[in-house]
Amino acid sequence: MDQNDKKILKILSENSRTTISTISKKTGIPDTTISNRIKKLEKNTIKEYTTIINPQSVGLNITAIIIIQTESEKHENVEKQLPKLEEISEAYTISGEYDILIKVWAQTLEELNNITNTIRSIDGIEDLTEMIVMERLKEKHIPIPKQPLK
């Protein structure tokens, strides 16, 4: 991946609907070259094109980060069950005192409470801590590294 690929990725990550001709104008790279590079990037680098929705416009007014401790012998069960919950947009296994970190969306505090209770009921959940997001300081796409890949 060179600097031109990074330019293309940056533009597409800001708006995946940007046309090839617009990318060409912004980068000074010919249309056919842009098209060929995008095809190559789609094989290994670009996982998907998606839409970022304004959560409030669909009624999701509550965001929570939940960290979870699991029973070690039942950790795999928790890993299988959490992704099935539609209200969870992100889930990560993590190091440290807790084992899993998830991001949850809800319309109301009552709904968040119900989601948390559902999570608590998963076999293998030992403990969890819920933190309600008060303000989004930054919620963005994956950054494109400035340094070349080695």
Side-chain angles (χ1 to χ4, degrees):
M1 178 178 308
D2 63 13
Q3 291 303 320
N4 287 333
D5 287 335
K6 289 181 182 183
K7 288 176 188 176
I8 294 167
L9 285 173
K10 184 168 179 15
I11 292 166
L12 287 174
S13 68
E14 291 169 358
N15 180 358
S16 64
R17 294 184 71 177
T18 304
T19 64
I20 289 173
S21 63
T22 301
I23 296 170
S24 177
K25 287 175 189 164
K26 287 183 175 185
T27 61
I29 302 168
D31 288 13
T32 52
T33 305
I34 297 285
S35 180
N36 291 333
R37 284 178 177 261
I38 289 174
K39 285 176 187 168
K40 287 179 185 175
L41 289 167
E42 287 172 337
K43 289 180 183 172
N44 297 316
T45 305
I46 297 172
K47 286 177 61 175
E48 65 183 318
Y49 296 96
T50 188
T51 302
I52 299 171
I53 298 168
N54 173 351
Q56 286 80 22
S57 72
V58 293
L60 295 173
N61 301 307
I62 310 287
T63 309
I65 304 298
I66 300 175
I67 48 178
I68 300 168
Q69 281 181 330
T70 63
E71 298 173 30
S72 54
E73 63 277 356
K74 296 181 180 179
H75 181 83
E76 283 186 32
N77 180 59
V78 176
E79 282 186 351
K80 288 177 186 170
Q81 297 305 314
L82 285 174
K84 293 178 182 178
L85 299 176
E86 226 175 275
E87 299 86 355
I88 297 174
S89 64
E90 298 175 50
Y92 306 96
T93 59
I94 57 174
S95 64
E97 184 179 342
Y98 290 86
D99 304 302
I100 298 174
L101 179 144
I102 60 175
K103 185 175 184 181
V104 176
W105 299 86
Q107 293 181 334
T108 63
L109 288 173
E110 182 181 347
E111 183 183 23
L112 178 61
N113 224 12
N114 292 337
I115 295 164
T116 302
N117 289 336
T118 299
I119 293 167
R120 281 187 198 280
S121 71
I122 294 173
D123 188 33
I125 301 276
E126 193 171 285
D127 189 24
L128 63 78
T129 299
E130 176 183 272
M131 297 165 276
I132 296 175
V133 173
M134 302 303 289
E135 181 180 357
R136 286 176 188 77
L137 300 177
K138 182 176 181 180
E139 222 170 35
K140 197 68 174 158
H141 53 271
I142 294 173
I144 310 300
K146 291 181 172 97
Q147 299 300 317
L149 293 176
K150 295 177 182 177

